[in-house]
Amino acid sequence: VEGTRKESRGALIVLEGLDRSGKSSQCSRLVSYLEGQGISAELWRFPDRTTNVGQMISAYLSNTSQLDDHTIHLLFSANRWEKRSLMETKLKTGTTLIVDRYSYSGVAFSASKGLDIEWCKAPEIGLLAPDLVAYLDISPQKAAERGGYGDERYEKLDFQKKVAESYKTLHDVSWKVVDACQPIEDVEKQLQEIALDCVTECQKGKPLSP
Ligand code: T5A
Ligand code: NA
């Protein structure tokens, strides 16, 4: 504290929202923007389908494998745990991470199947807490109109309605709600502002938790 200057760290910024809310489009735009500002930034996504666990998740999502609801929940969580130490290293060495989905997706989607919400949250305890969660807000109906849903397991209007309700119970102090129905460039602008504020706060020494 007094007199000692900490090495500035990167920010952990998560984008959440329903399927088709625009997360992936905005994550890559945001990374380009931050890099353009001279900020070291990387794009991450969950599920990370490149790992062994990620491949099991991918097979489940594409309906080529069946798994018990609890089992797939724990696999999604394990997929975040297997990236935790690398995540911490990146942040501590000054790289900002823009993450497409995180624990909130894990809880919102599984709780929407009827699993107990506290049970759903438990395996997420001890993962790094985001500095900012930008929730891309769109109605399930409007999201469904965007390019139509594909064949992935959760891409059904009735299920997305439940997910939207679950997300509402998860808002915490790190959340900022962004209207995802605006033109893509307007959403982009808003995200740039809140992300830049967040990066600045982290550079000033906001502690990484837990
Ligand atoms: N899941 C995930 C769990 O159940 N538990 C977990 O722990 C985790 C991490 C993963 C699935 O797994 C579930 C959640 C998901 O169902 P995914 O691979 O992350 O799926 O896929 P999605 O997030 O569903 O990706 P989508 O591609 O469907 O949606 P995005 O990324 O939100 O949207 P994006 O950017 O691809 O855009 C969709 C379309 O909309 C247009 C785009 O051009 C594109 O065509 N668009 C806009 N159109 C008009 N106005 C705008 N502002 C627009 N923004 C984008
Ligand atoms: Na996506």
Side-chain angles (χ1 to χ4, degrees), residues 11 22 48 54 62 75 77 104 107 111 132 143 154 156 168 172 188 202:
D48 178 339
S62 61
L75 288 177
S77 187
Y104 306 89
V107 175
L132 167 68
Y154 299 139
K156 309 257 180 341
K168 282 185 191 158
D172 60 38
E188 184 181 6
C202 293

Side-chain angles (χ1 to χ4, degrees), residues 177-201:
V177 177
V178 175
D179 179 3
C181 298
Q182 306 173 85
I184 205 156
E185 293 77 14
D186 294 3
V187 178
E188 184 181 6
K189 256 281 170 57
Q190 235 177 301
L191 288 172
Q192 290 174 353
E193 283 173 21
I194 59 177
L196 206 52
D197 284 351
C198 177
V199 169
T200 305
E201 254 189 70

Side-chain angles (χ1 to χ4, degrees), residues 19-25 49 76 80 101 106 109 182:
D19 292 29
R20 300 293 187 274
S21 54
K23 299 175 301 302
S24 296
S25 315
R49 302 188 193 215
F76 272 117
R80 285 182 279 279
R101 294 193 184 280
F109 280 74
Q182 306 173 85

